[in-house]
Amino acid sequence: MPLQSDAELLQAFQVPETRESAYTQLIRKYQERLYWHIRRLVVGHDDANDVLQNVLIRVWKGLDGFRSDSQLFTWLYRIATNECLTFLEQQKRRLSISLDQEGSAHLADRVRADQHFDADKAEWKLQLAIQELPEKQRLVFTLRYYDEMPYGEMSQVLETSEGALKASYHHAVKKVEDFLLNH
């Protein structure tokens, strides 16, 4: 019988006989949400899968040390967010461009290159607008807009103040609105 609550899954993970089953159930529970969080930040499907695999490895290795100070979901998002930032930083170095300047154009080009891209559709315009945002604003906008994450939880994930997050989100929304109105 599958375990449902995070507490039950964490408890089962501590028992050697049920460890793998508990981990598998935990991944099934959160994998899709983590994938889409990652995908919105790194854009490409293959890159998102690669980052997700790194996240799952880090979760497996770190789950024994999870202290339940925060919700499990918040902890998973923090790992996924950090892996995304690491991936984006590696890409920035590899491409030798700044994501806040020429790099946002590179990400926008990747959105346009997607086989499902249709420039007339609102979702694609929104994606292009999001890729124009500076990295921190893009992250905050994604967590708030798509994942509807409360500022308190976001503060734990990003380890910054709620006030700073609200300001970043406000600026991001304004930039997205301006982009959508002018493109």
Side-chain angles (χ1 to χ4, degrees):
M1 181 172 169
L3 304 169
Q4 294 301 318
S5 77
D6 289 349
E8 289 174 315
L9 290 171
L10 289 169
Q11 191 172 15
F13 187 81
Q14 300 304 318
V15 179
E17 296 79 28
T18 57
R19 182 183 204 82
E20 287 184 31
S21 172
Y23 176 77
T24 300
Q25 289 177 54
L26 180 87
I27 296 312
R28 279 193 194 125
K29 184 174 180 178
Y30 291 113
Q31 185 171 2
E32 186 174 348
R33 287 170 74 186
L34 289 171
Y35 168 82
W36 284 109
H37 168 63
I38 294 166
R39 175 82 187 260
R40 288 183 199 103
L41 296 173
V42 303
V43 181
H45 169 72
D46 291 338
D47 292 338
N49 275 336
D50 290 346
V51 172
L52 180 60
Q53 291 308 311
N54 291 341
V55 169
L56 299 181
I57 291 167
R58 284 196 51 204
V59 168
W60 173 262
K61 290 178 178 178
L63 207 50
D64 270 332
F66 178 70
R67 297 182 313 267
S68 300
D69 297 1
S70 61
Q71 295 178 354
L72 181 60
F73 179 71
T74 302
W75 182 73
L76 294 170
Y77 258 61
R78 185 178 307 134
I79 291 172
T81 300
N82 288 337
E83 285 296 316
C84 287
L85 294 175
T86 298
F87 173 83
L88 292 171
E89 201 48 48
Q90 289 170 346
Q91 280 219 297
K92 197 188 309 186
R93 269 186 283 184
R94 198 172 329 137
L95 298 171
S96 299
I97 56 176
S98 166
L99 283 176
D100 289 336
Q101 296 164 0
E102 298 96 317
S104 62
H106 170 73
L107 289 174
D109 289 343
R110 290 182 64 197
V111 170
R112 286 185 190 94
D114 190 298
Q115 64 182 352
H116 303 293
F117 177 75
D118 180 348
D120 294 328
K121 292 192 177 171
E123 180 63 25
W124 287 110
K125 287 184 180 180
L126 177 60
Q127 284 302 317
L128 290 173
I130 292 168
Q131 296 314 315
E132 294 292 322
L133 295 172
E135 191 173 307
K136 182 177 179 178
Q137 288 178 9
R138 186 168 59 242
L139 183 58
V140 172
F141 184 86
T142 299
L143 289 171
R144 186 77 178 148
Y145 181 80
Y146 286 107
D147 300 321
E148 298 176 352
M149 187 177 284
Y151 288 110
E153 202 172 312
M154 201 186 312
S155 175
Q156 291 177 1
V157 169
L158 300 177
E159 297 174 333
T160 190
S161 74
E162 288 185 39
L165 293 169
K166 288 176 182 177
S168 287
Y169 183 72
H170 173 77
H171 292 299
V173 167
K174 184 73 178 127
K175 288 176 183 175
V176 166
E177 286 174 351
D178 290 345
F179 181 93
L180 294 175
L181 291 172
N182 296 313
H183 287 87

